Amino acid sequence: MGDIITKFITESGFAMVTYKELIMIALACVFLYLAIKKGYEPYLLIPISVGMLLANMPGTDLMKAATDESAGGLFYYLYQGVKLGIFPPLIFLCVGASTDFGPLIANPKTMLLGAAAQFGIFFAFLGAIALGFSGPEAASIGIIGGADGPTAIQLTTRLAEHLLGPIALAAYSYMALVPVIQPPIIRALTTQKERSVKMEQLRHVSQKEKIIFPIVVMILVIGLLPTAAPLIGMLMFGNLIKESCVVPKLVETSQNSLMYIITIMLGITVGATANAETFLTTQTLGITAMGLVAFSVGTASGVLFGKVMYKMTNGKVNPMIGAAGVSAVPMAARVVQKVGQEENPSNFLLMHAMGPNVAGVIGSAVVAGILLKFFG
């Protein structure tokens, strides 16, 4: 009996665990704490954290590739939806079906704020080049600045798949931490007077305009940049079925069941790519740091351009809405709303912030298409 117990203990996962795996398990637990206790985007962070936890438990082989001699691990098969570029466009379809493009159509000038916030991508791209990364690797790192997980995954699987783990984890982590990262940047770059600006109510957007908009965007953007078709096409398709008002079951499925199913599979496999051996490296630390720089610069550039619009409109535009130019929908818009109400409880900026927020989604997909065209 003693030999059996000894053998059981020596062959258990705890006997095989390394210090690097312990670090990753602890990191997964920290993310779970932030998601559950602090409420930082739990729909994203809980699946990612559990995927990271399970993939770093010794002996599980959940990401083991299939061979002629043995079947692959569970996560290996789920991961094919990421590797083959299936999950990110489906997420965009669901986002399109869940998002009102009305604020952007009502105030198209806010598209400039979405464009300005993409500056962080190019800033990080140049920084990654300076650190010695190749062009495709730097492009994949820079896209983190768009705060758009599906876009980061889609681009990285095409340009630098070996970096997918740290890039995807960084992109989704920063998306989840938008409520932590953005407010200090917003407050540092704006005055109390600017943050208190109340904006005029947006004009009514007709249903006809809402139906025409996604069709026009598909034709113009994909016509100019075919490499953006998977993301832009699915985003606009999702919005079109929503605004057409003739396929409510498709809209309901996209907004609920499909969204949550893909989020679970995408999140848990993204977390599973963060194994100890590949994640705890100097290169990963550099990617994580550059991703934070990219996201911070994107937020800052959006706010600074918002200040320009504030001056040009004689104080009619609240510069904070520029922070929503990053494409973390709708988290960034909610942050603007929250900070605005802290300064002025009667201020309602959510719909105004959704304009640049939607523009940021389109902008990051377009930038990804440009990078893919040059480096793909």
Side-chain angles (χ1 to χ4, degrees), residues 52-205:
M52 185 191 304
L53 175 65
L54 293 176
N56 285 285
M57 292 299 292
T60 57
D61 291 331
L62 289 171
M63 282 291 284
K64 182 181 178 181
T67 64
D68 294 336
E69 292 77 26
S70 64
L74 170 64
F75 291 169
Y76 166 76
Y77 292 104
L78 295 179
Y79 177 69
Q80 299 311 302
V82 176
K83 184 177 181 179
L84 299 176
I86 298 171
F87 292 161
L90 288 179
I91 286 287
F92 261 54
L93 185 155
C94 299
V95 169
S98 306
T99 305
D100 181 8
F101 288 4
L104 178 61
I105 301 171
N107 189 6
K109 294 191 295 294
T110 57
M111 190 171 289
L112 297 174
L113 296 173
Q118 306 311 310
F119 179 74
I121 295 175
F122 297 103
F123 185 89
F125 169 77
L126 296 175
I129 291 288
L131 290 176
F133 288 95
S134 67
E137 291 173 337
S140 300
I141 294 168
I143 204 68
I144 300 173
D148 191 334
T151 302
I153 291 171
Q154 186 78 357
L155 185 66
T156 305
T157 53
R158 300 286 297 278
L159 297 183
E161 189 182 347
H162 59 289
L163 298 180
L164 181 61
I167 287 176
L169 191 63
Y172 272 103
S173 297
Y174 293 139
M175 282 178 66
L177 295 175
V178 162
V180 177
I181 299 171
Q182 283 200 319
I185 298 173
I186 293 172
R187 294 190 183 99
L189 296 176
T190 57
T191 64
Q192 185 177 17
K193 180 182 177 181
E194 291 170 338
R195 293 193 296 272
S196 301
V197 170
K198 294 181 70 172
M199 297 180 65
E200 296 178 1
Q201 185 174 353
L202 294 169
R203 73 170 178 85
H204 172 71
V205 177

Side-chain angles (χ1 to χ4, degrees), residues 18 182 266 337 350:
T18 66
Q182 283 200 319
L266 182 62
Q337 167 72 9
L350 182 61

Side-chain angles (χ1 to χ4, degrees), residues 14 17-28 56 58 276 280:
F14 291 115
V17 70
T18 66
Y19 78 93
K20 287 186 176 181
E21 289 170 334
L22 288 174
I23 293 174
M24 294 304 296
I25 291 169
L27 185 59
N56 285 285
L280 294 178

Side-chain angles (χ1 to χ4, degrees), residues 341-360:
Q341 287 208 313
E342 288 174 357
E343 299 294 342
N344 183 352
S346 64
N347 207 354
F348 295 94
L349 296 171
L350 182 61
M351 295 310 294
H352 296 283
M354 282 302 297
N357 211 184
V358 171

